[in-house]
């Protein structure tokens, strides 16, 4: 198994949104955030598959941690 963390790209949007929805989390604004500031979105991949994400919604000197999800089969 190879777990890897990286900054998001626009190509990560569909699988990240699917993961958020699978975990019953809101997706409103997530796509806008990822497109505007991909450096604020962290992606976790296991063997090349997206299995986690976390995002920071930055406002000046403050940030809101949002959109944190881990694939159900790994969340134990």
């Amino acid at each position: 198994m190879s777990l890897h963390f990286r900054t998001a790209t626009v190509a990560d949007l569909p699988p990240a949104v699917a993961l958020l929805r699978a975990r019953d989390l809101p997706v409103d604004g997530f796509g806008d955030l990822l497109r505007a500031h991909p450096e604020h979105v962290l992606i976790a991949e296991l063997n090349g598959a997206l299995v986690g994400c976390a995002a920071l919604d930055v406002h000046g000197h403050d940030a809101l941690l949002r959109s944190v999800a881990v694939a159900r089969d790994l969340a134990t």
Side-chain angles (χ1 to χ4, degrees):
M1 268 197 257
S2 176
L3 182 63
H4 175 70
F5 296 94
R6 62 175 176 77
T7 301
T9 68
V10 175
D12 295 312
L13 187 53
V17 167
L19 175 61
L20 293 169
R21 285 188 173 136
R23 300 300 287 174
D24 297 320
L25 294 170
V27 296
D28 293 346
F30 181 76
D32 295 334
L33 173 64
L34 190 148
R35 285 185 204 94
H37 299 286
E39 70 277 11
H40 295 170
V41 181
L42 182 67
I43 297 296
E45 291 181 318
L46 182 61
N47 299 324
L50 191 147
V51 295
C53 64
L56 288 176
D57 198 353
V58 179
H59 300 276
H61 293 290
D62 300 317
L64 172 67
L65 179 61
R66 61 167 289 176
S67 306
V68 178
V70 176
R72 194 170 303 278
D73 58 334
L74 298 176
T76 55

